[in-house]
Amino acid sequence: MAQCVQSVQEFIQDSFVPLVAALCSEEAERLTRRNNLSFAELVRPFCRLTSEVHMRDPNNQLHIIKNLKIAVNNIITHPPQPGAIRKLLHDVVSVSQPAEGLVANVITAGDYDLNISATTPWFESYRECFLQSMPASDHEFLNHYVACMLVVSSSEPDPVEQFLKLSQEQHRIQHSSEYSYPKWFIPNTLKYYVLLHDVSTGEEQRADSIYEEMKQRYGTQGCYLLKINSRVSNRGADEQIPDPWSQYLQKNTIQNQDCYEDYTVVSNKNTDHLISDGIDSEIKDGLSNNFKTHPLQLDHPSGSLDSTVYMKASTSLQDSKKSNSGTPHGACLTLTDHDRIRQFIQEFTFRGLLPHIEKTIRQLNDQLISRKGLSRSLFSATKKWFSGSKVPEKSINELKNTSGLLYPPEAPELQIRKMADLCFLVQHYELAYSCYHTAKKDFLNDQAMLYAAGALEMAAVSAFLQPGAPRPYPAHYMETAIQTYRDICKNMVLAERCVLLSAEILKSQSKYSEAAALLIRLTSEDSDLRSALLLEQAAHCFINMRSPMVRKFAFHMILAGHRFSKAGQKKHALRCYCQAMQVYKGKGWSLAEDHINFTIGRQSFTLRQLDNAVSAFRHILINDSKQPPAQQGAFLREYLYVYKNATQLSPDGPLPQLPLPYINSSATRVFFGHDRRPAEGEKQAATHVSLDQEYDSESSQQWKELEEQVVSVINKGTIPSNFQPTQFCLNRYSDNSKFPLAVIEEPITVEVSFRNPLKVPLLLTDLSLLWKFQPKEFGAKHDGETKERGTCDEDMVGTEAIAEFLINSEETKVARLKLFPHQTGELHILGVVYNLGTVQGAVSLDGIDPSIGLQTGKFVSNGLSVRGRQDLEIQGPRLNNTKEEKTSIKYGPDRRLDPIITEEMPLLEVFFINFPTGLLCGEIRKAYVEFVNVSKCPLTALKVVSKHPEFFTFGGNTAVLTPLSPSASENCSAYKTVVTDPTSVRTALLSSASSADFGIGTGGSPEVIQVPLPDAVLLPGASVQLPMWLRGPDEEGVHEINFLFYYESIKKHSKMCHRVLRHTAVICTSRSLHIRATVCRSNALGDEEGRGDNMLLFVDVENINTSETGVKEFHIVQVSSNSKHWKLQKSVNISGDKDTKLTSRERAKLCFKAVRCKNSEENYTFADIVFGNEQIVSSASPCGDFFFQSLSSEFKRTHVQSHTHASQRAVKQSFDETVRLIQRCSEVDLNIVVLWKAYVVEDNKQLILEGQHHVALNTIGKEAFSFPQKQELPETVLLKFFRPENTPVPARPTPEQLSNLIKTSLHYPESFNHSFHQKSLCLVPVTLLLSNCSQAVVDVMIDLRHKPTSSEALEIHGSFTWLGQTQYKLQLKGQEVYSLQLKACFVHTGVYNLGTPRVFAKLVDQVTLFETSQQNSMPALIIINNI
């Protein structure tokens, strides 16, 4: 149970006090009415004695009575009706509410922290009122009147006569059979005569003389002169007199019968629990009419009351309370008068009441003692003899089903009970217990169950109240009493009193569990109010236990709330549910939580607490509800209805937050720019960026790198500090730390992700974005004021609304909402605003009556919708850079919803015409690109950047020479062709070109390509078509090639410097040709021009195409070379065929002779060897473009590889230069372009495709490929846990490199005729040509003493000798050719190998470091003939 203001002893003592009746004359009543009080009300604040009182018990022992209180009440002659008592109790509870701002008691139990009101004043008020309003009954005497005050005014003509009349009236009420109510304790009731004297108007001498007469007549102990109204009414009002009546009267204002419209009050007299001020009522009837009706008499017999009456009564009570609190009480009384009244009560108690009680107890005790001598059987016989009016004996079962026997008033058992009650009233609990115990046995023996229950009840209370607690509290007495009252006597009022007393006693002994069980046992269907109060107290018992039972507390609070609601106590019901909610909230009991929230919402709505109602219904909807769809739909409709009522109270207030649907704020995406235009026929728009594309971090990084690359080129190699990568679509993965830039008049699309958590569909109508805008002129000094979205602001920012947006049950759906900024400034997107409604069903409106529901185009709404908003609040990424950020939880900003609107910028659209999706590897195709400026300002500096510049070209400076009308039809080439002379077949046709013509080697990045716009500017609305040649990548498969188009405005802006457009081309390539090439030195030293340098080039072409693609055959139409130092001279015709055709899996070998060029170092020499009738000018676009692009990508690849060894290059600088000179001898810088045509059959139509492959030859003797071979990695690789040492550049050149330093060639006749008969020795002149291949000076030593060691060589070739010097030492300058004349001597005919000289070479400035022999690769055979 909750804490109470009074202790249990005080509570019980105040519940059972001696009752004194008051009977006043009309004049006396008039005197007290001057103070707005009746006589009973006048003395009420002074009815508690301030001092101890002594009396003697029957054994003449002194008994001390402490803190005694008496009750003085007007006489009421009819008992109150049960319905009226129920009404009274209802109103007492209704007006007693928790105090505003009351600090609740915080109870911590386990992981619960509960705010619970520690006290329940409404329960205490109910209990007090209940106990005071109990009607007197015959089986007990506790609320029977012990004495009667007769009050007469001294101003009456004959006061003594008036006393006589009042005395007779009292006697008539008590003893006449006409009146059965009120009840009197003993026949000889104490009469106490009070003379009331008005000091301000009355004559004091007369009053004194009358009092003297009274003393003579009634004795000094039986009368009293009470002087009141000393205060003159016209005295100053500044004198403050305390008002001790207010606490009693305000507490009981509710009991004033004038408060009710539905109740007729006949009399102005009240019982002890009804204190009437009755200011306006006048007593017009005689004395006999004063006692007719109890003030709780209903004007209609029905005792049932509905909640509307309760509500009406409560309102009237509030008004009455206000009016009553303003009425002054005791206006004519001074503090002296207060003391006189107090003294009067003291005198009455000391001299009148207590002596009377003491005497009565003695008399009753004497009667009982006189009977004790008799035997039990005789005593029983006497009882039967004296009590002739008893009902006949009945069987035990019959008795238990009835109230038992009825005793006459003079029955001895009742005398014992009477004595016990008197002792109890004067706090003599020991004697009272003994009497109750005796009476209990007698009653039980007689099966008088009602009497027995009463005796058991009071025996238990007496045992508890005995000082020193000689015996424990007999709780089983109370339980028997309660059971008897409830089950046998069917008297719930008495059972309830038992429970209230016993529960309080058990609570004081901390027996909360027993108290709770007791309280719960008395809950029943006959009284909702009682059940509610008792259940609430049981809940408090559970929470006040040593180990609080929190869930039981909550459960019983819910039950109490339910019963309060049924009893019409809406506020108390709401309070109970709210307290229970603390326990169920957030613990996963979702259905219980829904029920509580729904009830709280309903009750709050009834009490017009609309905010609380909205909040409660909101909670039902936002939790993941497990309710069935129908229930969820009901909850939603209820919420909308309540919400609508709440918003109607403040229609001009800010839009409230709606709980549905859920918004996943972090999934919000923002897109800047127009939607992508679809492709039209052959025209294909640039893919750019759209909201339909998934975010790819790798792709995003590539685009960022491309943009950085082009910006770096524009800014001469550096990236500006204020550079901000262009982001078209912002999402949770993008970098949102900076304010994004948007362009004026270009739409901003916000994609909001909605989720409907309910199992019923939601219909959002008029859905749009909510924003705030601050106009700013960038570059101007003054900024505009901030404006929030309104109806008149469409000239600043246009807002697109979605008329209807249906989200099905448990569906996640995105809405794309657009804004159109018309001014520059700062835009802040705050959230979304919409009407939330429900749908009867996604039914088409065809054939539906227009009157059904609210038609919104596609769906039928049920007409209930509310307008509100939801904010988009996005949490930025968690910061994790500094130590402070790592140790705390901090989040960075996310500014995707705060774009800056910048000045007008150009807007480029790009379309691709005839753009292929499939190519052969190396295939050349011509397409067109259309550039359109769709903005209102011109654009310039158009560039395109790609990671694969070798894939496409716009043509170099020679592009004007290239044919302009491409087509896929036969014999229309994308190349520049020239008809050749048949005589020039297989001979090189020369041309030259500078790399600068193709934008290579100008210091810029090869990936950044200038788009050749006419006049370099694209005007607003203008479009231009440019040819674009494409070359299929060398590797087969699907290729994604990213183009980034970069452009600027002619005007420079402070915020946005450039714009970009993205395009991703997807090309599927299939295999075509694979080319391998090697170059080796020719043994022939001289060429046509007398130079000593020429080489042989072997080209191996293989058709690796599979026939699935429809390619019939490939024709090799031309082989071209491009180099600064070498050129192809002619084709060495091996096969003799004019044309080279390759069908599937065929291979062809071609051989060419290459010689050194004579031209300058700057230009490349192009040499074309044509196999057909048309020469493709390889130095023109697009052949030259693709060559130079492949050259730059090859250079980039080798440059990256060579860069890794840069750290070692600083070591031994001079030594490395030497090595480099030797290495350079074996290097060759020759690039081969193989041009081909492929004959393809597609849809029964033959097409001719053309293409080119590049092979870069760098080293003599080393095989090169058109596409680098893939190295297959081993399956398992050993892990290395140490850092490998850097392998240094080899200090010594390889023998292979050294063998290329000097090139040797022997010139001699193939056959020599000699007559050995004439001359035995045959001398043959032989010329040894020595060519220095390097740029350095080389020392050469020739040793002719070489003898073949192998016997096999001797057998085959025979032996010969060289004549003359056997060793020569020469010095050759760079590129020098030296001729040495030698003589060979033969003695026999035969075939001889002249290739025996050993040649050694070393660089001049080295000692012997690189000396090694130069071996000829091929034998030099001579035939010696004899003639």
Side-chain angles (χ1 to χ4, degrees), residues 693-711:
Q693 297 168 357
E694 290 295 323
Y695 178 81
D696 178 12
S697 58
E698 194 177 331
S699 162
S700 178
Q701 183 62 26
Q702 284 178 13
W703 289 116
K704 183 183 173 188
E705 287 170 6
L706 287 174
E707 189 173 355
E708 284 176 351
Q709 199 170 354
V710 67
V711 168

Side-chain angles (χ1 to χ4, degrees), residues 586-807:
K587 293 290 186 295
W589 296 43
S590 61
L591 296 177
E593 221 173 316
D594 288 351
H595 167 75
I596 297 168
N597 272 317
F598 184 73
T599 312
I600 288 174
R602 275 274 177 94
Q603 301 287 9
S604 300
F605 182 72
T606 309
L607 294 168
R608 307 307 292 165
Q609 298 176 11
L610 296 181
D611 289 345
N612 291 348
V614 168
S615 172
F617 281 114
R618 180 192 178 93
H619 275 101
I620 301 178
L621 298 175
I622 62 175
N623 290 336
D624 286 333
S625 175
K626 296 181 175 61
Q627 301 283 0
Q631 189 63 54
Q632 286 187 357
F635 284 160
L636 180 59
R637 286 191 296 276
E638 193 96 16
Y639 169 75
L640 294 175
Y641 177 73
V642 170
Y643 187 97
K644 197 154 195 165
N645 278 274
T647 49
Q648 282 169 358
L649 294 178
S650 53
D652 301 329
L655 276 176
Q657 297 280 344
L658 287 172
L660 290 174
Y662 289 178
I663 291 181
N664 184 358
S665 291
S666 65
T668 303
R669 298 197 295 166
V670 184
F671 178 73
F672 301 100
H674 297 279
D675 294 335
R676 180 172 170 256
R677 246 196 244 178
E680 301 167 5
E682 289 293 318
K683 273 192 181 185
Q684 178 195 344
T687 54
H688 197 44
V689 182
S690 78
L691 282 168
D692 298 324
Q693 297 168 357
E694 290 295 323
Y695 178 81
D696 178 12
S697 58
E698 194 177 331
S699 162
S700 178
Q701 183 62 26
Q702 284 178 13
W703 289 116
K704 183 183 173 188
E705 287 170 6
L706 287 174
E707 189 173 355
E708 284 176 351
Q709 199 170 354
V710 67
V711 168
S712 169
V713 168
I714 297 288
N715 289 281
K716 300 180 176 59
T718 59
I719 295 177
S721 57
N722 63 345
F723 169 70
Q724 190 172 336
T726 306
Q727 296 188 105
F728 296 99
C729 183
L730 300 178
N731 52 37
R732 69 174 82 184
Y733 307 109
S734 54
D735 177 13
N736 305 324
S737 56
K738 294 180 180 173
F739 293 101
L741 300 175
V743 179
I744 191 170
E745 302 297 347
E746 290 187 18
I748 299 169
T749 308
V750 179
E751 183 184 89
V752 184
S753 175
F754 291 104
R755 180 168 77 85
N756 177 7
L758 303 182
K759 299 183 181 77
V760 291
L762 297 175
L763 181 64
L764 311 187
T765 53
D766 195 15
L767 170 64
S768 59
L769 289 169
L770 200 61
W771 47 263
K772 189 169 69 175
F773 184 73
Q774 184 176 7
K776 274 192 178 181
E777 289 292 333
F778 296 108
K781 290 183 182 177
H782 300 292
D783 295 335
E785 56 182 287
T786 305
K787 299 224 171 169
E788 192 137 353
R789 182 209 164 163
T791 49
C792 58
D793 299 330
E794 291 293 319
D795 56 336
M796 281 190 181
V797 179
T799 309
E800 183 183 86
I802 297 176
E804 280 185 350
F805 189 74
L806 180 77
I807 314 174

Side-chain angles (χ1 to χ4, degrees), residues 1 8-9 11-12 424 433 453 455-466 468-482 495-511 514-515 518 521:
M1 293 177 73
V8 61
Q9 285 82 5
F11 157 63
I12 295 173
F424 188 87
Y433 175 76
L456 282 166
E457 175 189 4
M458 296 314 295
V461 176
S462 303
F464 171 73
L465 290 176
Q466 280 182 42
R471 53 179 62 84
Y473 169 63
H476 60 287
Y477 279 16
M478 275 295 195
E479 287 180 16
T480 309
I482 294 166
E496 185 178 350
R497 183 181 71 181
C498 266
V499 167
L500 294 175
L501 294 172
S502 187
E504 194 65 38
I505 293 169
L506 290 169
K507 183 188 85 172
S508 70
Q509 297 176 337
S510 298
K511 294 180 179 175
E514 292 88 336
L518 204 61
R521 201 181 306 159

Side-chain angles (χ1 to χ4, degrees), residues 1223-1343:
Q1223 286 173 342
R1224 204 176 289 160
C1225 295
S1226 60
E1227 286 180 1
V1228 61
D1229 173 23
L1230 179 62
N1231 301 289
I1232 302 297
V1233 181
V1234 177
L1235 296 109
W1236 49 264
K1237 285 186 180 178
Y1239 289 84
V1240 180
V1241 177
E1242 195 175 281
D1243 299 331
N1244 298 323
K1245 184 179 174 187
Q1246 181 169 303
L1247 303 174
I1248 300 176
L1249 307 178
E1250 48 194 358
Q1252 65 189 56
H1253 279 78
H1254 310 115
V1255 183
L1257 292 156
N1258 296 319
T1259 311
I1260 290 173
K1262 189 175 178 184
E1263 197 171 29
F1265 303 93
S1266 60
F1267 180 69
Q1269 295 293 299
K1270 286 181 181 174
Q1271 292 183 349
E1272 290 186 5
L1273 292 171
E1275 288 184 9
T1276 56
V1277 181
L1278 289 173
L1279 292 175
K1280 292 182 180 179
F1281 292 102
F1282 57 89
R1283 186 178 174 185
E1285 295 178 9
N1286 290 323
T1287 53
V1289 177
R1292 290 180 70 85
T1294 62
E1296 187 187 350
Q1297 291 170 338
L1298 289 170
S1299 69
N1300 289 328
L1301 261 180
I1302 299 294
K1303 182 179 172 184
T1304 61
S1305 178
L1306 286 166
H1307 283 230
Y1308 55 90
E1310 286 185 8
S1311 63
F1312 193 82
N1313 299 326
H1314 179 70
S1315 174
F1316 284 96
H1317 302 293
Q1318 295 177 5
K1319 204 171 185 179
S1320 58
L1321 294 175
C1322 174
L1323 300 178
V1324 180
V1326 177
T1327 305
L1328 174 64
L1329 282 177
L1330 300 168
S1331 175
N1332 182 0
C1333 294
S1334 71
Q1335 302 290 332
V1337 180
V1338 178
D1339 283 341
V1340 181
M1341 188 183 79
I1342 300 108
D1343 188 0

Side-chain angles (χ1 to χ4, degrees), residues 549-602:
M549 301 172 81
V550 181
R551 288 197 294 274
K552 275 202 170 186
F553 160 78
F555 180 66
H556 286 85
M557 270 303 203
I558 296 290
L559 295 176
H562 176 64
R563 298 304 289 269
F564 270 130
S565 180
K566 284 177 73 178
Q569 299 281 352
K570 302 296 182 188
K571 287 185 180 176
H572 287 295
L574 179 59
R575 177 183 49 74
C576 288
Y577 275 101
C578 289
Q579 289 196 354
M581 189 61 186
Q582 299 175 82
V583 175
Y584 289 104
K585 195 172 185 181
K587 293 290 186 295
W589 296 43
S590 61
L591 296 177
E593 221 173 316
D594 288 351
H595 167 75
I596 297 168
N597 272 317
F598 184 73
T599 312
I600 288 174
R602 275 274 177 94

Side-chain angles (χ1 to χ4, degrees), residues 289-462:
N289 286 332
N290 284 341
F291 320 111
K292 290 286 182 190
T293 321
H294 193 282
L296 286 180
Q297 187 74 35
L298 285 162
D299 63 340
H300 50 79
S302 165
S304 63
L305 293 159
D306 62 357
S307 58
T308 51
V309 177
Y310 289 160
M311 296 294 280
K312 207 189 293 183
S314 316
T315 349
S316 60
L317 289 171
Q318 298 291 346
D319 301 340
S320 140
K321 186 173 176 182
K322 285 176 195 164
S323 65
N324 195 62
S325 58
T327 308
H329 301 290
C332 300
L333 302 176
T334 60
L335 287 176
T336 313
D337 290 335
H338 291 192
D339 290 339
R340 284 174 181 155
I341 299 168
R342 192 176 289 110
Q343 184 63 37
F344 156 64
I345 294 295
Q346 295 262 40
E347 283 292 316
F348 164 70
T349 311
F350 287 2
R351 295 169 179 268
L353 183 62
L354 286 178
H356 174 71
I357 291 174
E358 187 178 327
K359 187 176 83 172
T360 309
I361 290 174
R362 280 180 187 278
Q363 288 174 355
L364 290 170
N365 188 57
D366 290 345
Q367 288 177 27
L368 291 174
I369 289 173
S370 66
R371 288 190 173 88
K372 271 189 181 176
L374 300 171
S375 68
R376 180 67 199 162
S377 58
L378 181 62
F379 189 30
S380 303
T382 314
K383 278 196 293 180
K384 286 175 189 171
W385 183 36
F386 281 109
S387 51
S389 60
K390 280 190 187 175
V391 292
E393 292 283 347
K394 294 184 181 179
S395 70
I396 298 295
N397 289 334
E398 284 179 308
L399 287 173
K400 286 191 175 173
N401 292 329
T402 65
S403 300
L405 301 173
L406 294 174
Y407 293 97
E410 66 278 7
E413 291 88 347
L414 287 192
Q415 304 308 314
I416 301 177
R417 171 66 203 244
K418 198 174 283 186
M419 178 178 165
D421 285 350
L422 268 179
C423 292
F424 188 87
L425 291 175
V426 293
Q427 302 175 12
H428 202 318
Y429 300 119
E430 196 171 347
L431 185 55
Y433 175 76
S434 146
C435 294
Y436 284 132
H437 200 266
T438 307
K440 174 203 68 161
K441 290 177 182 175
D442 291 346
F443 293 142
L444 284 173
N445 286 336
D446 293 339
Q447 288 293 309
M449 300 313 291
L450 178 64
Y451 295 90
L456 282 166
E457 175 189 4
M458 296 314 295
V461 176
S462 303

